[in-house]
Amino acid sequence: MTEPTGTPTHCPYCSLQCGMVLRPTDDRTDHAGPPAPATPTTPATPLSVEEWPGFPVNRGALCGKGRSAADLLNPAVRLTTPLVRDRPGAPLRPATWNEALDRVAQAVRRIRDGHGAEAVGVFGGGGLTNEKAYLLGKFARVALRTPSIDYNGRFCMSSAATASNRAFGLDRGLPFPLADIAATDCVLLVGSNLADTMPPALRYLTELTGRGGRLIVVDPRRTRTAAQAHLHLQPLPGSDLALALGMLHIAIDGGLVDTEFVARRTTGFEAVRTIAMDHWPTRVERLTGVPVHQLRQAVQTLAAAPTAMVLTARGSEQHSKGTDTVHGWINLCLALGKAGRPRSGYGCLTGQGNGQGGREHGQKADQLPGYRSLTDPAAREHVARVWGIEPADLPGPGRSAYELLDSAGTPGGVRALLVFGSNPVVSAPRAAHVEERLRALDLLVVSDVVLSETAALADVVLPSAQWAEETGTLTNLEGRVVLRRKAVDPPPQVRTDLQILSALADRLGVHHGFPAEPRDVFEELRRASAGGPADYSGISYERITGEGGVFWPCPGEEHPGTPRLFLDSFATPDGRARMVAVDYRPVAEPPDERYPLYLVTGRVLAHYQSGAQTRRVPALRAAEPGPFVELHPHLADRLGVADGDQVAVVSRRGRAVAPARLSTAIRSDVVFMPFHWAGPGRANTVTNPALDPLSGMPEFKVCAVRLEPVTAPVPDPAHTNVRHIVAHGEAAPHAAAPVASRT
């Protein structure tokens, strides 16, 4: 693939990993016209973002987040020096790297000696590069000797990953390139609003419908994506499994099952059939609110299409039965024969930037590099040999993400937590409780680009380099391994996460095995992943550069990579897909008299994840300045609420307050809040941490709430002024409560 001049790289946000080109800002006159003059709200940045039309995923298209990504390189909005807290209750103050790292190492040794290795925990992120995720997992298990590691991807992909591994023997979000979506005949899209979450990917749905293909969208809200569908099914939140079972019932009853495919390439159909036949259409209409005629239309459209895909996302997966729900959709896909052949199959739309690679290489509680199981003796033997340790020295599986956070500061739980690239104070369910638990720790260390709400609570804050300041690989939602390239040096007192892990390992007495150079780490990752389900051994920086990315598995340098999985067989011992019998059960917390409404949460176009970065970009903040509560006008009339009035969303766990935004795009028994903000409008204050028993996924997407009008004004939390904090050692003015109240 011919590369452009400048620095070709990839966006720091979602799992598309859109290609872009970076140039020095003062060089833009040669390529994109004169740079805009800096103002107090749009300060100068060292790089400008330009299109890279040759990269096949986005073909030059960028959303507003990607186009403004260089704004985060501005020192005014980021951390530029380590910060430490001298005692509980004291403000953060600037420190040298030696002081900060020595404090971490000394505290870790003290806690480990007093409470055991498992009392020191690590919490990673789905945005970390493959190199960082790999070294972080190795750091936990070799330098710390702790089982206590998990990451925020548990909140994103875990249910779909668990179901895919069980059904297909392998979890790769999309088993085909994204461009195949435009070439299929029908897409059933469940719980995704691509128009807001991955705008450049919407073109594939537009191309699909433009050439006569059909689009069916399942979503409780009539989003911009749903508005493009030929058929929009608008179920009650948390009822997707009943919907999938009812659609399978109609397919069986109508003779639409591909019996030859089912017999030849699957197992388990009879048990699945028995449960599906208990979900007759009128029963499913009562459970979901979707009319029977729409159920039939959806099934007939899907079955009649020569090729078709079923795609799920967080709306269907972030539930206490998320794994079973994904199995419901996989069973429907398999029963109709829409898998295991070109332009057909089940896929999951991964969310985070490295949501795919981040779960493959060891920062997940139960996994080793190469997507190996931590409990598999052969996997332990292989990875231990690469790491130069004995298999018996590898700790066993630890707690899942929410369980790890919930244990913080408790007897038998973690007493120290090192957080890399995550902001659980905003992103975790039952967030006020998680914040309390983090305050109860003996040691909280946060490595991040900005002073997030979690970093504002820390004892030690380590400023890390960001996307354009370091090189590393990521794996996008298609399983395509791409290379982000360094384009500019970080500020003088900022280090990469690899450098931080290397320095900490050295201080903890592990002087070898933790290189700080990304290429060295990736070469070791290749060896560690060799022979595993996610085999990267044939992938190199040079191949990625020359081929526009390489699809795993790629078990050798002469192997072409695997853009399309399962065409000949599935990755199970007998080559057949497993149809898993799952039965409907209600949400963990159904509405009742006290809490009569459903709350769903999600993203908006201008912001990403916890908003720690996008809330610092002037253009994005102007586009969506704060949280809101979306509700139907009929519900607003009953409550006496007008558009823009402050309303409280109250659950059994707490209360979030934001302005009302009236919309007929939502059901009258459902309210919606975006989850990008802290402070009074923090949506995750009220969400339910009920966990999926198989995946550990919390039930983010539905809980029972009531709405209350708010008469007293609610002040908006101020934006973090990092420069003020660094200069004066004062706590973040936007923190939800006074910083450092831990004891």
Side-chain angles (χ1 to χ4, degrees):
M1 184 180 72
T2 302
E3 292 200 340
T5 58
T7 303
T9 190
H10 299 275
C11 179
Y13 292 113
C14 82
S15 65
L16 289 179
Q17 285 304 294
C18 290
M20 58 172 57
V21 178
L22 300 179
R23 300 186 194 279
T25 304
D26 58 8
D27 192 37
R28 285 192 63 202
T29 52
D30 296 335
H31 309 281
T39 71
T41 57
T42 58
T45 57
L47 297 172
S48 66
V49 173
E50 297 179 16
E51 295 178 353
W52 181 7
F55 186 67
V57 174
N58 60 309
R59 298 181 295 194
L62 293 170
C63 72
K65 293 185 288 292
R67 290 189 179 280
S68 62
D71 287 7
L72 291 170
L73 300 170
N74 180 2
V77 299
R78 64 181 297 182
L79 291 163
T80 56
T81 188
L83 305 173
V84 299
R85 204 181 301 281
D86 290 324
R87 62 186 182 282
L92 288 166
R93 64 164 178 82
T96 66
W97 273 101
N98 280 337
E99 180 185 11
L101 294 172
D102 286 346
R103 283 193 178 211
V104 175
Q106 291 164 8
V108 164
R109 284 195 295 267
R110 183 176 66 251
I111 292 166
R112 192 168 56 184
D113 291 345
H115 300 276
E118 66 277 5
V120 180
V122 178
F123 197 86
L128 301 179
T129 64
N130 290 319
E131 291 83 354
K132 293 180 183 181
Y134 172 83
L135 207 66
L136 191 64
K138 182 179 180 181
F139 176 81
R141 296 179 175 107
V142 175
L144 296 177
R145 300 286 183 93
T146 182
S148 303
I149 177 173
D150 210 56
Y151 80 126
N152 63 18
R154 181 76 66 171
F155 299 158
C156 177
M157 280 292 301
S158 57
S159 291
T162 301
S164 292
N165 277 319
R166 295 173 83 202
F168 306 126
L170 189 68
D171 159 44
R172 198 179 84 186
L174 292 182
F176 38 71
L178 191 69
D180 282 7
I181 293 173
T184 192
D185 295 299
C186 181
V187 167
L188 174 63
L189 183 66
V190 188
S192 172
N193 179 17
L194 278 178
D196 282 0
T197 59
M198 300 179 184
L202 191 65
R203 71 189 317 161
Y204 294 110
L205 296 180
T206 303
E207 290 173 12
L208 164 75
T209 57
R211 46 173 289 275
R214 312 300 285 177
L215 174 62
I216 305 166
V217 171
V218 178
D219 198 309
R221 303 167 62 222
R222 187 165 179 79
T223 63
R224 292 197 301 134
T225 306
Q228 296 194 21
H230 297 95
L231 178 62
H232 175 206
L233 308 182
Q234 204 164 359
L236 283 169
S239 67
D240 286 13
L241 179 52
L243 191 68
L245 289 165
M247 290 175 68
L248 182 55
H249 177 113
I250 291 170
I252 295 169
D253 192 52
L256 300 175
V257 172
D258 187 335
T259 55
E260 189 275 334
F261 177 88
V262 168
R264 181 170 54 88
R265 299 204 58 186
T266 75
T267 64
F269 177 69
E270 286 306 315
V272 168
R273 180 186 185 281
T274 298
I275 295 176
M277 296 314 290
D278 285 339
H279 291 77
W280 54 92
T282 53
R283 179 191 178 198
V284 170
E285 180 177 332
R286 291 196 301 272
L287 291 172
T288 67
V290 177
V292 170
H293 75 273
Q294 288 190 348
L295 292 171
R296 295 190 185 280
Q297 183 183 351
V299 175
Q300 290 162 0
T301 301
L302 193 63
T307 61
M309 297 174 180
V310 177
L311 307 177
T312 67
R314 306 303 82 72
S316 193
E317 301 158 10
Q318 286 182 321
H319 296 272
S320 59
K321 57 178 181 296
T323 301
D324 286 358
T325 299
V326 173
H327 274 302
W329 295 117
I330 290 174
N331 290 341
L332 177 65
C333 185
L334 292 171
L336 295 175
K338 309 302 184 186
R341 54 198 178 101
R343 301 187 303 281
S344 291
Y346 165 78
C348 171
L349 299 170
T350 306
Q352 294 195 75
N354 200 28
Q356 182 66 56
R359 66 182 182 273
E360 296 169 0
H361 297 300
Q363 66 172 332
K364 197 174 178 184
D366 56 354
Q367 283 180 358
L368 289 170
Y371 222 142
R372 287 180 161 93
S373 170
L374 191 52
T375 60
D376 178 1
R380 293 172 66 88
E381 171 69 30
H382 174 87
V383 174
R385 186 167 60 250
V386 174
W387 288 353
I389 62 174
E390 293 298 319
D393 292 335
L394 282 172
R399 297 177 172 97
S400 69
Y402 181 78
E403 294 169 311
L404 179 64
L405 296 171
D406 188 44
S407 80
T410 66
V414 293
R415 305 295 311 181
L417 189 65
L418 282 63
V419 179
F420 286 78
S422 187
N423 188 18
V425 165
V426 177
S427 63
R430 198 185 173 196
H433 171 73
V434 168
E435 183 176 338
E436 290 176 2
R437 297 271 40 88
L438 295 180
R439 291 177 183 276
L441 287 164
D442 297 336
L443 174 70
L444 176 61
V445 180
V446 175
S447 175
D448 209 333
V449 172
V450 299
L451 193 79
S452 67
E453 287 74 17
T454 304
L457 301 180
D459 300 290
V460 180
V461 180
L462 305 175
S464 60
Q466 53 178 303
W467 62 292
E469 299 165 346
E470 57 185 353
T471 294
T473 62
L474 298 97
T475 308
N476 80 345
L477 77 170
E478 314 162 294
R480 184 195 303 260
V481 184
V482 301
L483 183 65
R484 277 194 201 155
R485 296 166 176 85
K486 179 178 178 179
V488 66
D489 289 329
Q493 292 303 309
V494 170
R495 296 188 182 182
T496 70
D497 285 327
L498 297 182
Q499 291 172 328
I500 292 168
L501 291 171
S502 180
L504 283 175
D506 186 66
R507 281 168 167 78
L508 292 170
V510 183
H511 305 301
H512 304 286
F514 288 89
E517 286 299 317
R519 184 184 289 268
D520 295 339
V521 178
F522 189 75
E523 290 302 310
E524 184 177 303
L525 181 157
R526 292 175 66 187
R527 298 195 303 274
S529 72
D535 191 333
Y536 282 40
S537 60
I539 303 175
S540 65
Y541 281 15
E542 289 74 21
R543 283 195 64 182
I544 296 170
T545 300
E547 300 173 26
V550 181
F551 290 86
W552 72 260
C554 184
E557 293 184 0
E558 302 304 317
H559 191 280
T562 315
R564 294 170 182 87
L565 297 168
F566 313 140
L567 296 183
D568 299 316
S569 66
F570 295 97
T572 55
D574 62 3
R576 294 167 177 255
R578 305 287 188 255
M579 299 182 76
V580 178
V582 291
D583 204 348
Y584 175 74
R585 60 185 185 274
V587 298
E589 187 180 71
D592 56 22
E593 290 186 2
R594 290 185 62 203
Y595 303 97
L597 302 170
Y598 294 92
L599 170 70
V600 297
T601 65
R603 284 170 51 186
V604 295
L605 177 61
H607 292 290
Y608 180 71
Q609 303 301 82
S610 75
Q613 295 183 24
T614 53
R615 284 185 271 122
R616 289 166 166 81
V617 175
L620 301 178
R621 193 168 62 242
E624 196 68 81
F628 58 87
V629 180
E630 182 179 282
L631 66 157
H632 195 280
H634 292 168
L635 176 59
D637 286 345
R638 294 202 304 269
L639 296 171
V641 171
D643 195 75
D645 287 354
Q646 295 284 335
V647 293
V649 180
V650 184
S651 77
R652 290 174 174 84
R653 289 154 297 282
R655 169 187 176 101
V657 178
R661 183 175 294 183
L662 274 55
S663 172
T664 57
I666 195 167
R667 295 174 57 111
S668 60
D669 50 2
V670 176
V671 296
F672 167 83
M673 284 193 76
F675 52 63
H676 308 291
W677 285 272
R682 180 174 60 185
N684 278 320
T685 296
V686 302
T687 51
N688 190 356
L691 300 182
D692 182 301
L694 298 174
S695 68
M697 170 71 81
E699 190 150 86
F700 283 103
K701 277 295 181 281
V702 59
C703 67
V705 299
R706 66 173 180 266
L707 292 188
E708 297 174 350
V710 175
T711 54
V714 178
D716 290 333
H719 295 288
T720 306
N721 187 330
V722 176
R723 186 174 280 170
H724 183 70
I725 293 167
V726 171
H728 302 287
E730 296 182 12
H734 73 304
V739 172
S741 62
R742 297 198 307 278
T743 57

